[in-house]
DNA sequence: TATTGTTATACTCTATAACTATA
DNA sequence: TATAGTTATAGAGTATAACAATA
Protein backbone atom coordinates (compact mmCIF):
# COMPACT_ATOMS: atom_id res chain seq x y z
CA UNK A 1 0.00 0.00 0.00
CA UNK A 2 1.69 3.21 -1.04
CA UNK A 3 -0.39 5.67 0.97
CA UNK A 4 -3.90 4.50 1.60
CA UNK A 5 -4.26 7.46 3.96
CA UNK A 6 -4.68 9.63 0.91
CA UNK A 7 -8.41 10.14 0.51
CA UNK A 8 -10.60 8.88 -2.27
CA UNK A 9 -11.51 12.44 -3.36
CA UNK A 10 -7.84 13.20 -3.76
CA UNK A 11 -7.36 10.13 -5.90
CA UNK A 12 -10.32 11.21 -8.01
CA UNK A 13 -9.02 14.69 -8.65
CA UNK A 14 -5.56 13.40 -9.48
CA UNK A 15 -6.84 10.72 -11.83
CA UNK A 16 -9.43 12.78 -13.69
CA UNK A 17 -7.16 15.26 -15.51
CA UNK A 18 -4.69 12.57 -16.55
CA UNK A 19 -7.42 10.43 -18.04
CA UNK A 20 -9.06 13.33 -19.85
CA UNK A 21 -5.80 14.57 -21.32
CA UNK A 22 -4.74 11.18 -22.58
CA UNK A 23 -8.17 10.49 -24.03
CA UNK A 24 -8.17 13.82 -25.83
CA UNK A 25 -4.87 13.04 -27.50
CA UNK A 26 -6.05 9.57 -28.47
CA UNK A 27 -9.16 11.02 -30.05
CA UNK A 28 -7.11 13.51 -32.05
CA UNK A 29 -5.26 10.63 -33.69
CA UNK A 30 -8.14 10.02 -36.09
CA UNK A 31 -6.83 9.58 -39.60
CA UNK A 32 -7.50 12.95 -41.25
CA UNK A 33 -7.37 11.35 -44.70
CA UNK A 34 -10.34 9.11 -43.88
CA UNK A 35 -12.78 11.85 -43.07
CA UNK A 36 -15.05 10.29 -40.52
CA UNK A 37 -16.50 12.35 -37.71
CA UNK A 38 -16.24 11.12 -34.16
CA UNK A 39 -19.84 10.02 -34.08
CA UNK A 40 -19.62 8.23 -37.41
CA UNK A 41 -16.64 6.30 -36.14
CA UNK A 42 -18.36 5.61 -32.87
CA UNK A 43 -21.47 4.30 -34.63
CA UNK A 44 -19.33 1.92 -36.67
CA UNK A 45 -17.82 0.71 -33.42
CA UNK A 46 -21.21 -0.11 -31.94
CA UNK A 47 -22.16 -2.02 -35.08
CA UNK A 48 -18.95 -4.02 -34.95
CA UNK A 49 -19.58 -4.97 -31.35
CA UNK A 50 -23.33 -5.57 -31.50
CA UNK A 51 -24.08 -6.60 -35.07
CA UNK A 52 -26.97 -5.16 -37.08
CA UNK A 53 -29.25 -2.76 -35.26
CA UNK A 54 -32.31 -0.64 -36.12
CA UNK A 55 -31.71 3.10 -36.34
CA UNK A 56 -33.60 3.87 -33.15
CA UNK A 57 -31.58 1.41 -31.12
CA UNK A 58 -28.35 2.78 -32.55
CA UNK A 59 -29.44 6.32 -31.67
CA UNK A 60 -30.25 5.26 -28.11
CA UNK A 61 -26.87 3.61 -27.61
CA UNK A 62 -25.04 6.65 -28.94
CA UNK A 63 -27.11 9.04 -26.81
CA UNK A 64 -28.20 10.86 -29.95
CA UNK A 65 -31.68 11.69 -31.26
CA UNK A 66 -33.12 9.56 -34.08
CA UNK A 67 -32.96 12.31 -36.73
CA UNK A 68 -29.28 12.76 -36.01
CA UNK A 69 -28.68 9.05 -36.41
CA UNK A 70 -30.58 9.09 -39.69
CA UNK A 71 -28.06 11.64 -40.94
CA UNK A 72 -25.06 9.75 -39.62
CA UNK A 73 -26.20 6.46 -41.14
CA UNK A 74 -27.10 8.09 -44.47
CA UNK A 75 -23.61 9.53 -44.74
CA UNK A 76 -22.02 6.19 -43.90
CA UNK A 77 -24.29 4.39 -46.35
CA UNK A 78 -23.36 6.78 -49.16
CA UNK A 79 -19.74 5.94 -48.56
CA UNK A 80 -20.45 2.24 -48.57
CA UNK A 81 -19.47 1.67 -44.95
CA UNK A 82 -22.87 0.46 -43.74
CA UNK A 83 -25.97 -0.92 -45.43
CA UNK A 84 -29.66 -0.80 -44.54
CA UNK A 85 -31.58 -4.05 -44.86
CA UNK A 86 -35.36 -3.97 -44.40
CA UNK A 87 -36.76 -5.90 -41.47
CA UNK A 88 -38.92 -8.72 -42.95
CA UNK A 89 -41.44 -8.75 -40.09
CA UNK A 90 -41.88 -5.00 -39.53
CA UNK A 91 -41.65 -2.86 -42.60
CA UNK A 92 -41.27 0.35 -40.64
CA UNK A 93 -37.84 -0.71 -39.52
CA UNK A 94 -34.62 -1.44 -41.30
CA UNK A 95 -31.51 -2.82 -39.73
CA UNK A 96 -28.17 -1.13 -40.19
CA UNK A 97 -25.07 -3.26 -40.54
CA UNK A 98 -21.39 -2.86 -41.33
CA UNK A 99 -20.19 -3.63 -44.83
CA UNK A 100 -16.87 -5.38 -45.27
CA UNK A 101 -15.39 -2.05 -46.29
CA UNK A 102 -16.79 -0.36 -43.19
CA UNK A 103 -15.27 -3.03 -40.99
CA UNK A 104 -11.88 -2.52 -42.59
CA UNK A 105 -11.97 1.26 -42.28
CA UNK A 106 -12.94 1.01 -38.63
CA UNK A 107 -10.24 -1.51 -37.79
CA UNK A 108 -7.60 0.47 -39.68
CA UNK A 109 -8.52 3.52 -37.65
CA UNK A 110 -8.19 1.60 -34.42
CA UNK A 111 -4.85 0.16 -35.43
CA UNK A 112 -3.66 3.68 -36.12
CA UNK A 113 -4.56 4.89 -32.64
CA UNK A 114 -3.21 1.76 -31.01
CA UNK A 115 0.08 2.29 -32.80
CA UNK A 116 0.30 5.86 -31.52
CA UNK A 117 -0.26 4.62 -27.98
CA UNK A 118 2.13 1.68 -28.37
CA UNK A 119 4.97 4.00 -29.34
CA UNK A 120 4.45 5.86 -26.08
CA UNK A 121 4.09 2.71 -24.01
CA UNK A 122 7.39 1.52 -25.42
CA UNK A 123 9.17 4.37 -23.64
CA UNK A 124 8.09 2.97 -20.26
CA UNK A 125 9.92 0.38 -18.22
CA UNK A 126 8.63 -3.18 -18.22
CA UNK A 127 7.38 -2.81 -14.68
CA UNK A 128 5.53 0.40 -15.52
CA UNK A 129 3.81 -1.35 -18.39
CA UNK A 130 2.93 -4.17 -16.06
CA UNK A 131 1.36 -1.70 -13.68
CA UNK A 132 -0.84 -0.35 -16.47
CA UNK A 133 -1.73 -3.88 -17.50
CA UNK A 134 -3.01 -4.60 -14.02
CA UNK A 135 -4.84 -1.26 -13.91
CA UNK A 136 -7.02 -2.13 -16.91
CA UNK A 137 -9.48 -4.43 -15.12
CA UNK A 138 -9.72 -1.89 -12.31
CA UNK A 139 -10.57 0.91 -14.74
CA UNK A 140 -13.15 -1.37 -16.33
CA UNK A 141 -14.68 -1.88 -12.92
CA UNK A 142 -14.86 1.90 -12.44
CA UNK A 143 -16.56 2.17 -15.82
CA UNK A 144 -19.09 -0.50 -14.95
CA UNK A 145 -19.91 0.89 -11.52
CA UNK B 1 5.38 -9.06 -13.37
CA UNK B 2 2.00 -10.38 -14.32
CA UNK B 3 2.69 -11.36 -17.90
CA UNK B 4 5.38 -9.28 -19.53
CA UNK B 5 5.25 -11.70 -22.45
CA UNK B 6 2.09 -9.93 -23.54
CA UNK B 7 3.15 -7.52 -26.26
CA UNK B 8 3.07 -3.76 -26.11
CA UNK B 9 0.56 -3.54 -28.99
CA UNK B 10 -1.80 -5.77 -27.05
CA UNK B 11 -1.48 -3.55 -24.02
CA UNK B 12 -2.22 -0.54 -26.19
CA UNK B 13 -5.39 -1.98 -27.69
CA UNK B 14 -6.63 -3.13 -24.30
CA UNK B 15 -5.93 0.20 -22.63
CA UNK B 16 -7.29 2.50 -25.35
CA UNK B 17 -10.99 1.64 -25.19
CA UNK B 18 -11.10 1.68 -21.39
CA UNK B 19 -9.53 5.13 -21.28
CA UNK B 20 -11.80 6.53 -23.97
CA UNK B 21 -14.95 5.17 -22.38
CA UNK B 22 -14.12 6.50 -18.95
CA UNK B 23 -13.15 9.89 -20.32
CA UNK B 24 -16.38 10.13 -22.27
CA UNK B 25 -18.44 9.53 -19.16
CA UNK B 26 -16.40 12.04 -17.20
CA UNK B 27 -16.99 14.65 -19.85
CA UNK B 28 -20.71 14.04 -19.83
CA UNK B 29 -20.80 14.94 -16.16
CA UNK B 30 -20.73 18.65 -16.98
CA UNK B 31 -23.34 20.45 -14.97
CA UNK B 32 -26.23 20.97 -17.40
CA UNK B 33 -27.57 23.85 -15.30
CA UNK B 34 -24.35 25.82 -15.80
CA UNK B 35 -24.43 25.86 -19.54
CA UNK B 36 -20.79 25.99 -20.51
CA UNK B 37 -19.57 24.26 -23.65
CA UNK B 38 -16.57 21.99 -23.48
CA UNK B 39 -14.31 24.57 -25.03
CA UNK B 40 -15.52 27.34 -22.75
CA UNK B 41 -14.77 25.17 -19.75
CA UNK B 42 -11.43 24.18 -21.19
CA UNK B 43 -10.47 27.81 -21.80
CA UNK B 44 -11.29 28.65 -18.20
CA UNK B 45 -9.03 25.77 -17.17
CA UNK B 46 -6.11 27.16 -19.14
CA UNK B 47 -6.60 30.59 -17.59
CA UNK B 48 -6.67 29.09 -14.10
CA UNK B 49 -3.41 27.26 -14.74
CA UNK B 50 -1.56 29.94 -16.70
CA UNK B 51 -2.96 33.24 -15.52
CA UNK B 52 -3.95 36.04 -17.92
CA UNK B 53 -3.23 35.44 -21.59
CA UNK B 54 -3.79 37.31 -24.87
CA UNK B 55 -6.50 35.88 -27.12
CA UNK B 56 -4.07 34.57 -29.70
CA UNK B 57 -2.05 32.67 -27.12
CA UNK B 58 -5.22 31.19 -25.67
CA UNK B 59 -6.34 30.12 -29.15
CA UNK B 60 -2.98 28.47 -29.81
CA UNK B 61 -3.08 26.50 -26.57
CA UNK B 62 -6.60 25.29 -27.23
CA UNK B 63 -5.78 24.34 -30.84
CA UNK B 64 -8.52 26.67 -32.05
CA UNK B 65 -8.42 29.53 -34.56
CA UNK B 66 -8.39 33.11 -33.23
CA UNK B 67 -11.90 33.99 -34.44
CA UNK B 68 -13.27 30.99 -32.56
CA UNK B 69 -11.50 32.10 -29.40
CA UNK B 70 -12.91 35.59 -29.83
CA UNK B 71 -16.38 34.07 -29.71
CA UNK B 72 -15.60 31.84 -26.76
CA UNK B 73 -14.11 34.70 -24.76
CA UNK B 74 -16.93 37.10 -25.68
CA UNK B 75 -19.49 34.60 -24.40
CA UNK B 76 -17.55 34.07 -21.18
CA UNK B 77 -17.11 37.82 -20.74
CA UNK B 78 -20.83 38.46 -21.16
CA UNK B 79 -21.48 36.00 -18.37
CA UNK B 80 -18.89 37.65 -16.18
CA UNK B 81 -16.57 34.65 -16.02
CA UNK B 82 -13.58 36.36 -17.64
CA UNK B 83 -12.52 39.94 -18.23
CA UNK B 84 -10.44 41.60 -20.92
CA UNK B 85 -7.82 44.11 -19.76
CA UNK B 86 -6.00 46.15 -22.39
CA UNK B 87 -2.24 45.65 -22.65
CA UNK B 88 -0.61 48.96 -21.65
CA UNK B 89 2.38 48.62 -23.99
CA UNK B 90 0.62 47.30 -27.11
CA UNK B 91 -2.86 48.61 -27.68
CA UNK B 92 -3.67 45.94 -30.26
CA UNK B 93 -3.68 43.30 -27.57
CA UNK B 94 -5.78 42.67 -24.52
CA UNK B 95 -5.21 40.05 -21.89
CA UNK B 96 -7.96 37.71 -20.82
CA UNK B 97 -8.21 36.67 -17.20
CA UNK B 98 -10.57 34.78 -14.90
CA UNK B 99 -12.92 36.74 -12.71
CA UNK B 100 -13.58 35.50 -9.20
CA UNK B 101 -16.93 34.22 -10.39
CA UNK B 102 -15.29 32.38 -13.29
CA UNK B 103 -12.87 30.72 -10.94
CA UNK B 104 -15.69 29.55 -8.72
CA UNK B 105 -17.76 28.19 -11.58
CA UNK B 106 -14.78 26.29 -12.94
CA UNK B 107 -13.85 24.79 -9.60
CA UNK B 108 -17.46 23.86 -8.86
CA UNK B 109 -17.58 22.02 -12.16
CA UNK B 110 -14.42 20.13 -11.36
CA UNK B 111 -15.66 19.21 -7.93
CA UNK B 112 -18.79 17.85 -9.53
CA UNK B 113 -16.87 15.56 -11.83
CA UNK B 114 -14.46 14.53 -9.12
CA UNK B 115 -17.41 13.60 -6.94
CA UNK B 116 -18.86 11.42 -9.68
CA UNK B 117 -15.55 9.62 -10.01
CA UNK B 118 -15.03 9.36 -6.26
CA UNK B 119 -18.35 7.55 -5.84
CA UNK B 120 -17.13 4.94 -8.29
CA UNK B 121 -13.67 4.69 -6.78
CA UNK B 122 -15.31 4.02 -3.43
CA UNK B 123 -16.68 0.73 -4.77
CA UNK B 124 -13.15 -0.58 -5.30
CA UNK B 125 -11.01 -2.36 -2.76
CA UNK B 126 -8.24 -0.44 -1.04
CA UNK B 127 -5.61 -2.32 -3.00
CA UNK B 128 -7.34 -1.58 -6.29
CA UNK B 129 -7.37 2.11 -5.45
CA UNK B 130 -3.72 1.88 -4.58
CA UNK B 131 -3.02 0.36 -7.95
CA UNK B 132 -4.70 3.30 -9.66
CA UNK B 133 -2.80 5.71 -7.45
CA UNK B 134 0.47 4.23 -8.62
CA UNK B 135 -0.73 4.24 -12.24
CA UNK B 136 -1.18 8.02 -12.28
CA UNK B 137 2.50 8.97 -12.69
CA UNK B 138 2.85 6.30 -15.36
CA UNK B 139 -0.09 7.70 -17.31
CA UNK B 140 1.42 11.15 -16.95
CA UNK B 141 4.62 9.80 -18.44
CA UNK B 142 2.67 8.40 -21.38
CA UNK B 143 1.05 11.80 -21.84
CA UNK B 144 4.37 13.57 -21.79
CA UNK B 145 6.10 11.19 -24.18
C1' DT C 1 -53.66 5.11 -31.82
C1' DA C 2 -48.81 4.17 -31.20
C1' DT C 3 -44.35 3.60 -33.19
C1' DT C 4 -40.29 3.87 -36.65
C1' DG C 5 -38.00 6.62 -39.32
C1' DT C 6 -37.64 10.75 -42.28
C1' DT C 7 -37.88 15.65 -43.71
C1' DA C 8 -37.99 20.63 -42.47
C1' DT C 9 -35.97 23.99 -39.90
C1' DA C 10 -33.19 26.37 -36.43
C1' DC C 11 -29.23 26.68 -33.39
C1' DT C 12 -24.41 26.05 -31.89
C1' DC C 13 -19.76 25.77 -32.81
C1' DT C 14 -16.04 26.00 -35.90
C1' DA C 15 -13.32 27.66 -39.87
C1' DT C 16 -11.60 30.82 -43.74
C1' DA C 17 -11.50 35.38 -45.66
C1' DA C 18 -11.72 40.13 -45.32
C1' DC C 19 -11.31 44.16 -42.41
C1' DT C 20 -9.71 47.56 -38.48
C1' DA C 21 -6.40 49.27 -35.48
C1' DT C 22 -2.23 49.45 -34.00
C1' DA C 23 3.09 48.48 -34.40
C1' DT D 1 4.43 46.06 -44.13
C1' DA D 2 3.32 42.92 -40.35
C1' DT D 3 0.54 41.64 -36.38
C1' DA D 4 -3.64 41.22 -32.88
C1' DG D 5 -8.09 40.94 -32.89
C1' DT D 6 -12.72 41.36 -34.88
C1' DT D 7 -16.57 40.90 -38.14
C1' DA D 8 -18.78 38.48 -42.10
C1' DT D 9 -20.00 34.36 -43.90
C1' DA D 10 -20.22 29.43 -44.75
C1' DG D 11 -19.99 24.53 -43.38
C1' DA D 12 -20.51 20.67 -40.04
C1' DG D 13 -23.31 18.61 -36.66
C1' DT D 14 -27.03 18.49 -33.46
C1' DA D 15 -31.84 19.19 -31.80
C1' DT D 16 -37.04 19.84 -31.85
C1' DA D 17 -41.27 19.69 -34.47
C1' DA D 18 -44.01 18.01 -38.01
C1' DC D 19 -44.91 14.30 -41.18
C1' DA D 20 -45.21 9.49 -43.65
C1' DA D 21 -45.65 4.76 -43.45
C1' DT D 22 -46.70 0.81 -40.94
C1' DA D 23 -48.25 -1.81 -36.81
Amino acid sequence: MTEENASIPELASALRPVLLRLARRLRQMRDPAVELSGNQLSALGVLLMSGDLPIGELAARELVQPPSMTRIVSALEQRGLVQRTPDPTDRRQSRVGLTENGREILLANRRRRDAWLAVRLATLSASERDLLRRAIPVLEKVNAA
Side-chain angles (χ1 to χ4, degrees), chain A residues 4-138:
Chain A
E4 179 57 38
N5 309 345
S7 67
I8 295 178
E10 276 167 24
L11 174 57
S13 57
L15 192 57
R16 182 183 46 72
V18 182
L19 289 176
L20 287 174
R21 217 173 307 137
L22 192 49
R24 177 158 23 153
R25 294 188 64 182
L26 270 173
R27 240 175 302 119
Q28 286 172 345
M29 287 315 294
R30 288 203 307 253
D31 187 346
V34 178
E35 289 183 14
L36 286 174
S37 74
N39 261 358
Q40 288 175 347
L41 212 47
S42 182
L44 293 180
V46 172
L47 293 176
L48 180 66
M49 194 173 64
S50 305
D52 299 12
L53 292 174
I55 293 251
E57 176 63 27
L58 199 48
R61 298 214 192 179
E62 289 290 88
L63 302 178
V64 149
Q65 295 304 308
S68 303
M69 190 50 74
T70 291
R71 274 181 66 94
I72 293 171
V73 166
S74 298
L76 292 172
E77 190 181 33
Q78 267 197 318
R79 299 183 48 180
L81 307 183
V82 302
Q83 57 194 0
R84 286 177 166 94
T85 52
D87 182 312
T89 70
D90 182 343
R91 286 185 311 188
R92 290 173 305 181
Q93 294 186 39
S94 58
R95 298 189 153 264
V96 183
L98 281 183
T99 62
E100 187 49 43
N101 193 11
R103 217 181 83 93
E104 277 166 20
I105 297 276
L106 173 62
L107 293 180
N109 220 291
R110 288 192 175 173
R111 277 193 299 273
R112 185 188 159 85
R113 295 201 272 190
D114 285 350
W116 178 89
L117 184 54
V119 165
R120 271 143 195 88
L121 293 175
T123 68
L124 301 176
S125 71
S127 67
E128 286 173 326
R129 278 194 296 274
D130 190 62
L131 183 58
L132 291 185
R133 206 166 274 130
R134 284 183 290 135
I136 291 176
V138 180

